[in-house]
Amino acid sequence: MKLILPALTEATSPYWRPIKYSLFPPLGLATLAAYLDPDTEVTLEDEHVQRLRLDDTPDLVVIQVYITNASRAYRLADHHRARGAYVALGGLHVTSLPDEAAAHADSIFLGPGEHTFPRFLRDLAAGRPLRRYESSTRTLQDLPPIRRDLIDRRLYLVPNSIVVSRGCPHHCAFCYKDAFFAGGRSFYTQRVDAALAEIARLPGRHLYFLDDHLLADARFARDLFRGMRGMGRVFQAAATVDSILRGDLIEDAAAAGLRSLFVGFETLSPDALAGAGKRQNLGRSYRDVVRRLDDLGIMINGSFVFGLDRDDGDVFARTVDWAVRSGITTATFHVLTPYPGTATFADMAAQGRITTRDWNLYDTRHVVYRPGRLSAAELERGYWWAYRTFYRWDRIVQAAAAHASPKHALKHLAYSAGWKKFERAWNFVIRVRQLAQMRPLLEGVLSPVGGGRHAERSTSARSTLDARRAGT
Ligand code: B12
Ligand code: SF4
């Protein structure tokens, strides 16, 4: 049996950034592999970091399909079927467009695979596999341990990626999540003790939680963070604006080792937020979010979307200026992308505004619809301008200087420049297969900002909160 994560484009694409695609291993496929009989001969190939073998003859081929790798995934599926393999396709894009995928597969899978895949394996063994499996039972209880032994840790900067929940309780119009989790629960977590046991199995210090929203279930997150205290971990994760401001969960996260957080700011315009159904951001002060995370020594990866209907030509400069002035460490800019299955896609399709269905272009860098107040060319130009400007040396230095603590400023410089300014060095490290040697460096940059004004403020914030919690 062979599991394949195809890459979005060939490595010759001008957008190909080896370091970006050498971050995380294919966790979804390693999760599915856990259901195999231990005697099954299985390989896992990730085209982002290795050349795929095409001359082999596995009996069963499982391919994970995202929107941007869909056409590559279909070609690989056709190739393996022509060589006699049974091909199973699943993942986000298959869930959004099952009929399209079915033309290239023997079986297709809609939604998460934790319950459908083991059922399929039983059906296949009995000689009665179905053409289509749809997930309706949704739980992460009693899962077999992820087959991390199939992952070559040397090929990834962050082999310790982990997910302890699935989905998210919110419903933003442009997000993949409502379509993917249709037909069952769209937000659920592991048991805390199982999550802690998985963390304990991971070597090294650094973890990256790929959960859509790690703070979404406050009780679960608090127990998790308390359980992690004293484990000596440093970790990165994602959460929403409102969850950072609510209560004192974020302090627990910091105490457990949270050092960098992906935050979906998306836009500075309340009208645009309302239009995108991102209600949880409405009326929240982004300044307070930044200040609170900064006080705790947590770096921010801010996510911003351009091309929402009310965006005009000023949106790019406004956003970049705010991000720099606020000391956002790294920024991820996106051109609004209407993924099939989302409310945004349905609305735009109904209005006749979708301009291409070439899924290769649905990579959040290309404009695939007719924007409201901007032309498509203006939007793409503005998007690239925002990236170039945010990551100019003078802007990196200016953003770093926005932090209260000099140590935090230095970390900001190291992290931001390290991510965007040393592409050639990263390429070299990847070519000579030495990414693992860079992990201590990453852990160093993510280590706590000890001493100085910042630490005093964090400690006093902590004791105030501890006192509040104790009712004093
Ligand atoms: C990590 C990640 C990446 C990593 C690498 C992916 C990797 N190595 O797995 C990197 C940084 C490279 C990346 C890049 C991009 N990503 Co990305 N990424 C993610 C993220 C945050 C987590 C994925 C993950 O590991 N989930 C946890 C595992 C357990 O779940 P899973 O992978 O979905 O697998 C389960 C099911 O899908 C299913 N399943 C999957 N395959 C199969 C096959 C079969 C046969 C079966 C039965 C089941 C099955 O079973 C698994 C277990 O339940 C998701 C967000 C998300 N929450 O999914 C976005 C996400 C997948 N990315 C997205 C996008 C748009 C991109 C980029 C285009 C962004 C960009 N501008 O560069 C690129 C393109 C990548 C590409 N190759 O095409 C979108 C995809 C939208 C869509 N409709 O397809 C998502 C959903 C983010 C978002 N909110 O919009 N990404
Ligand atoms: S908060 Fe994030 S993960 Fe949740 S629905 Fe909105 S965009 Fe999706």
Side-chain angles (χ1 to χ4, degrees):
M1 170 177 178
K2 178 153 129 171
L3 303 148
I4 306 176
L5 181 65
L8 74 164
T9 46
E10 308 301 325
T12 49
S13 153
Y15 302 122
W16 190 262
R17 288 189 67 213
I19 183 55
K20 175 171 173 183
Y21 297 107
S22 303
L23 288 177
F24 307 115
L27 204 55
L29 292 176
T31 302
L32 298 178
Y35 295 99
L36 296 173
D37 187 292
D39 298 334
T40 306
E41 202 182 303
V42 53
T43 54
L44 194 166
E45 292 182 3
D46 176 0
E47 197 174 18
H48 301 85
V49 295
Q50 65 196 138
R51 196 180 282 275
L52 300 181
R53 263 196 79 177
L54 296 172
D55 59 352
D56 51 354
T57 48
D59 298 322
L60 173 60
V61 173
V62 166
I63 304 181
Q64 173 156 12
V65 190
Y66 295 137
I67 190 156
T68 44
N69 74 10
S71 56
R72 176 73 178 145
Y74 297 155
R75 263 188 296 153
L76 291 167
D78 295 344
H79 168 83
H80 282 292
R81 286 177 93 195
R83 292 172 67 87
Y86 191 99
V87 171
L89 295 182
L92 303 175
H93 190 68
V94 174
T95 308
S96 307
L97 295 175
D99 295 339
E100 178 188 289
H104 305 273
D106 296 294
S107 291
I108 55 164
F109 294 80
L110 280 63
E114 279 81 359
H115 289 84
T116 49
F117 192 61
R119 191 179 149 208
F120 160 72
L121 290 174
R122 285 193 299 275
D123 292 349
L124 189 67
R128 288 188 304 271
L130 303 178
R131 287 278 294 150
R132 178 178 168 129
Y133 290 83
E134 290 185 34
S135 142
S136 53
T137 311
R138 303 276 164 78
T139 161
L140 296 176
Q141 313 287 319
D142 307 318
L143 299 187
I146 298 173
R147 288 286 304 271
R148 291 185 187 264
D149 58 300
L150 297 175
I151 292 168
D152 183 347
R153 293 176 61 87
R154 292 168 311 165
L155 301 180
Y156 302 96
L157 183 62
V158 188
N160 287 352
S161 59
I162 174 169
V163 277
V164 292
S165 64
R166 295 281 193 279
C168 164
H170 299 296
H171 303 279
C172 305
F174 53 74
C175 184
Y176 83 100
K177 128 174 168 175
D178 278 334
F180 185 64
F181 291 96
R185 289 200 292 169
S186 66
F187 174 59
Y188 46 106
T189 68
Q190 249 179 330
R191 279 209 333 259
V192 173
D193 55 352
L196 289 171
E198 193 183 344
I199 292 169
R201 280 196 291 271
L202 295 172
R205 287 187 72 204
H206 179 242
L207 305 174
Y208 202 121
F209 286 91
L210 291 175
D211 302 70
D212 284 329
H213 180 1
L214 188 61
L215 306 187
D217 178 335
R219 191 179 329 156
F220 167 81
R222 194 180 300 285
D223 289 348
L224 180 75
F225 298 145
R226 293 201 176 157
M228 285 178 72
R229 259 195 235 180
M231 281 181 151
R233 297 292 188 168
V234 288
F235 67 92
Q236 299 176 255
T240 58
V241 159
D242 61 320
S243 68
I244 294 160
L245 296 177
R246 198 178 324 114
D248 57 1
L249 190 54
I250 196 70
E251 276 77 15
D252 272 320
L258 176 64
R259 299 287 170 257
S260 148
L261 193 63
F262 180 98
V263 182
F265 294 110
E266 319 304 7
T267 168
L268 304 177
S269 148
D271 281 352
L273 279 177
K278 192 125 192 158
R279 278 190 284 275
Q280 67 276 17
N281 284 29
L282 276 173
R284 312 284 166 182
S285 160
Y286 286 7
R287 249 180 75 206
D288 289 352
V289 170
V290 170
R291 205 175 298 147
R292 192 150 186 194
L293 293 177
D294 201 34
D295 273 358
L296 293 164
I298 298 171
M299 290 189 275
I300 302 176
N301 178 2
S303 170
F304 302 94
V305 180
F306 296 130
L308 293 161
D309 270 353
R310 292 171 179 84
D311 283 349
D312 55 20
D314 293 337
V315 69
F316 311 105
R318 239 188 358 254
T319 309
V320 170
D321 284 348
W322 179 82
V324 170
R325 263 188 291 112
S326 306
I328 302 291
T329 308
T330 49
T332 306
F333 299 110
H334 312 267
V335 169
L336 175 67
T337 301
Y339 299 127
T342 61
T344 305
F345 186 92
D347 287 350
M348 285 191 181
Q351 294 161 17
R353 291 171 62 192
I354 300 290
T355 51
T356 173
R357 287 174 196 241
D358 175 354
W359 309 131
N360 286 344
L361 300 178
Y362 279 59
D363 61 357
T364 78
R365 300 179 190 108
H366 292 90
V367 180
V368 296
Y369 67 102
R370 246 193 348 271
R373 294 195 189 166
L374 293 160
S375 72
E378 277 171 326
L379 178 48
E380 276 187 21
R381 252 199 324 272
Y383 161 82
W384 287 112
W385 177 89
Y387 258 124
R388 268 196 320 275
T389 310
F390 183 82
Y391 285 107
R392 256 176 24 204
W393 273 113
D394 59 328
R395 293 301 184 110
I396 292 178
V397 171
Q398 195 186 337
H403 300 289
S405 131
K407 281 192 182 162
H408 198 163
L410 268 179
K411 279 175 186 292
H412 178 130
L413 261 181
Y415 193 85
S416 176
W419 176 234
K420 276 286 186 179
K421 290 295 190 191
F422 296 98
E423 210 70 25
R424 284 221 186 117
W426 282 119
N427 294 353
F428 176 74
V429 172
I430 290 167
R431 224 179 17 253
V432 296
R433 301 205 159 198
Q434 293 300 322
L435 262 182
Q437 309 302 326
M438 307 304 287
R439 256 175 250 141
L441 209 69
L442 176 64
E443 288 173 355
V445 175
L446 292 173
S447 64
V449 187
R453 188 172 143 214
H454 159 85
E456 281 159 31
R457 276 204 281 151
S458 300
T459 317
S460 72
R462 223 331 353 102
S463 41
T464 315
L465 289 160
D466 282 346
R468 203 193 301 156
R469 216 179 285 139
T472 53

